[in-house]
Amino acid sequence: MVGNPNAGKSTLFNALTGLNVKVGNYPGVTVSRHTGTTSLADQTVLLEDLPGSYSLDPISPDEELIAEILESGSPLRPDALLVVLDATSLQRSLGLLAQVQQLGIPTLAVLTFSDELARRQGSVDLTRLSQAVGNKLMVVTAGNRAQLYDLKLALTEPETWPAPPVPAPTEPRHVTGWITSVLRSAGYQAPAVDDRTRRLDAVLLHPVAGTLIFFVTMALFFQVIFAVAAPLQGAVEAIFGRLAELVRAHVGVGWLSGLLADGLIGGVGGVLVFLPQIALLFAMITVLEATGYMARVAFLMDRVMGRAGLEGRAFVAMLSSVACAVPGIMATRTLPSARDRLATMMTAPLMTCSARLPVYTLLIGLLVPPGARLGPIGLQGLVMFGLYLLGAVAAMTAAWVFKHVLKGKGPALPFYMEMPSYRMPGLRELGRAVWDACASFVRRVGGIILVMSLLIWALLSLPVASHDEMAAAGIDLDDQVAVAAFQLDQSAAAAVGKTIQPIFEPLGFDWRITVGLVGAMGAREVFVATISQVSSAENPDDPGATLAEMTWLSGPHAGDRLFTPGVVAALLIYFAFALQCTSTIATLRRESGSWKWPAIAFGYMTGLAWVSAWLVKLLVEALLG
Amino acid sequence: MNSVSLPLCDRCLEVCDPQAAGCLAMGRLECGQRAFIAGYREQEDMAVCRRLFDLGFAQGVEVQLIRRAPMRDPLVFQVGGGEMLLRRQDADRIVVRVV
């Protein structure tokens, strides 16, 4: 299937294939590949939904892909082509059909949105249009099952489709003439300007009112992924927490109950906990896309995002990343250019996500006394705001750098998009988008997250410390916190933490902090729990009090306070920039189609984090003397 | 490049000087102003112009600037029955003749 973006191609594809769809990536590139099957009687047809395109003349790497697939001799070359023509912009659609006719592949044209054409007082004679272009032409309006059945029937016999005696010309002057003559002989009455859309745009794109409505919409959007998803996620966590408790209570063998409760159940819970956010985000993105408001978001935000070399639509992905980078990276699917998509997904994890909040709260509590004020504003809140701002600025700057690195050869790509008429989104379409996003996340990313969380569990809990060892070390076996602390101290993670500690020495991190950093690879908020375990915090609800008193255990600094303002500031900056989230790494792998991009992201973010943390530590120490 | 895209990349477009009498770069239209496309500004690589042509900005077609974004960029044009959003720098590659 080929067709202009917004021509109703995906809707038709979904209607034809039902749920028999596979979403993957084309080999080596960040372009999703949608394939599916449709069956009629004993015949099965494999359909592929090629990326939406206005032309076969490629100006970007993604579009070269389409040309390569259609090349004769290509292993992916289809037996026949469906060209989707939008009845409301037939002129433009016919230009693409003219190019397709050059390919020599049996071609069937499908006319969509003829109901919309009629609503806007336009008309076209189908028989004469079919004669004029020389291809078989069928009309399909969304939701019309009889038309869909006829189309399926036609799909099983492409050998009967007529071909034009001579393909349409492609030289600009000639193709314009061809389109004009086709439209004339089909008696095409172009649709009137869509009054409803014009009236809505007059308000929604008004310099003042429109901007205001935009900010309110985005605030609501953000509020939903942040606040509405939170209780749902809490419920998922509570259910899996209960399950883990049950396992711990009923499985006697220590290491096995740990593996089941913390490793397996914790891991599965760690995958499913993302679903409420992903479902809500994709429901809202689908509504924005289907109603046509997404194009207006791009219009209003393009100038701002353009500063970072991105386009307006990247704004939604960046905003979503403030809740969590995982759905944020998935939201980059709405960007048609692979280059923009990569630049956005590689930098979205720099936005301050909700998992950083507990860590920030703990560290800011150590850095700034609760009552401190700068004029009327509380200093703690101000530091928090500064960190959010830092994340946004860092993401935009990094995106700008990536765009320049990825630039490659050729002219800068133009940015263009159709401003579609406003439409009501269908419920089926909505359900489908939410289902697709959740299913592909669980299937493709879930496995990686599960394996990684098992790995981190193993690091933190193996080798298992025996009761004899604990008794020998003088640990009271009834003191659970002390037992946990001893276990962690003996674990492989501690060994890793101690091994990598020299790397973090200049930042002032001792091995207990680096163990916390290892533990945070599963999820950043785990840092708070790990660090309080290592420090044997008597009060896990307020680890801050114990932490403030912590001192270096050995080495040249032995006895000095560990969490000096310089170290706390360095830790804050480290958490702001480092890619310490295996779920994000897994999602990057899935969405970019290779391990190369997550590896680069991990490298540049960790490097950036280390250098900035070191500089900030020096700066804070210089300021405080 | 292959047999699909090669002939399309060879397509030739009408070059036109925006300084010519009665002509204007398309991005300089006023809101609501109508014009006919006269041609494309001469540039080293015409790939972007060929794409603008495929988007419906063909020679002889009537266009109208509908609105500018709050910070004057991007622009929305009425062309061939639909509305198309372009950035100013891309719109300026097209030369129009004001009616």
Side-chain angles (χ1 to χ4, degrees), chain A residues 275-449:
Chain A
L275 287 186
Q277 267 185 354
I278 291 176
L280 278 168
L281 178 73
F282 273 81
M284 286 188 299
I285 285 186
T286 308
V287 170
L288 289 184
E289 286 266 19
T291 52
Y293 192 67
M294 187 68 101
R296 277 74 189 179
V297 170
F299 173 74
L300 291 168
M301 287 310 288
D302 185 62
R303 192 70 195 274
V304 177
M305 299 305 284
R307 292 265 158 84
L310 297 174
E311 54 144 297
R313 278 171 285 190
F315 180 78
V316 174
M318 286 290 189
L319 183 76
S320 313
S321 300
V322 180
C324 175
V326 170
I329 290 170
M330 290 175 74
T332 61
R333 288 178 191 173
T334 53
L335 303 180
S337 141
R339 204 182 288 175
D340 273 24
R341 221 188 133 192
L342 262 180
T344 313
M345 67 169 77
M346 291 293 280
T347 53
L350 286 169
M351 300 294 280
T352 304
C353 67
S354 54
R356 286 180 174 103
L357 259 180
V359 181
Y360 283 179
T361 311
L362 171 75
L363 293 174
I364 292 176
L366 287 173
L367 188 66
V368 183
R373 289 181 168 277
L374 192 77
I377 308 159
L379 205 54
Q380 283 196 338
L382 201 64
V383 173
M384 187 67 95
F385 177 74
L387 285 164
Y388 269 93
L389 202 64
L390 180 72
V393 171
M396 298 291 273
T397 313
W400 184 84
V401 172
F402 266 101
K403 273 289 284 203
H404 280 75
V405 173
L406 294 171
K407 203 166 181 180
K409 295 180 277 297
L413 296 182
F415 170 58
Y416 50 81
M417 75 185 288
E418 245 172 286
M419 299 291 268
S421 299
Y422 290 103
R423 297 194 180 108
M424 278 301 281
L427 267 180
R428 285 177 71 99
E429 189 183 358
L430 194 68
R432 167 106 189 194
V434 169
W435 169 257
D436 279 353
C438 291
S440 85
F441 176 77
V442 170
R443 262 205 313 268
R444 301 303 223 77
V445 187
I448 312 179
I449 296 183

Side-chain angles (χ1 to χ4, degrees), chain A residues 54-58 63 67-68 71 91-92 99 103 120 170-173 175-176 198 201 205 299 302-304 310-311 411 414-419, chain B residues 2-5 8-9 11-14 45 47-48 50-51 53-55 66-71 73-74 76 78 80-81 83-87 90:
Chain A
Y54 289 105
S55 168
L56 299 181
D57 175 0
E63 291 174 351
E68 266 164 41
E71 169 82 342
Q91 249 168 345
R92 186 162 42 228
Q99 298 181 358
L103 298 171
R120 285 163 56 186
T170 49
E171 261 310 303
R173 201 177 283 275
V175 75
T176 310
R198 276 284 161 90
D201 271 344
L205 297 180
F299 173 74
D302 185 62
R303 192 70 195 274
V304 177
L310 297 174
E311 54 144 297
F415 170 58
Y416 50 81
M417 75 185 288
E418 245 172 286
M419 299 291 268
Chain B
N2 57 30
S3 64
V4 177
S5 49
L8 294 172
C9 295
R11 291 180 295 169
C12 241
L13 289 169
E14 194 79 21
D45 191 333
V48 173
R50 289 201 305 274
R51 174 52 51 89
F53 172 84
D54 289 331
L55 290 177
I66 303 293
R67 61 170 44 87
R68 287 171 189 276
M71 284 181 281
D73 198 15
V76 178
Q78 166 85 38
E83 289 183 8
M84 189 63 82
L85 182 155
L86 291 182
R87 283 188 181 153
D90 294 322

Side-chain angles (χ1 to χ4, degrees), chain A residues 233-258:
Chain A
Q233 287 177 301
V236 174
E237 275 169 353
I239 291 169
F240 280 88
R242 279 288 297 151
L243 271 177
E245 261 174 50
L246 279 176
V247 168
R248 268 195 220 100
H250 290 94
V251 180
V253 191
W255 67 268
L256 184 63
S257 83

Side-chain angles (χ1 to χ4, degrees), chain A residues 239-241 243-245 247 259-270 450:
Chain A
I239 291 169
F240 280 88
L243 271 177
E245 261 174 50
V247 168
L259 173 66
L260 289 177
D262 299 328
L264 200 64
I265 296 179
V268 173
L450 195 60

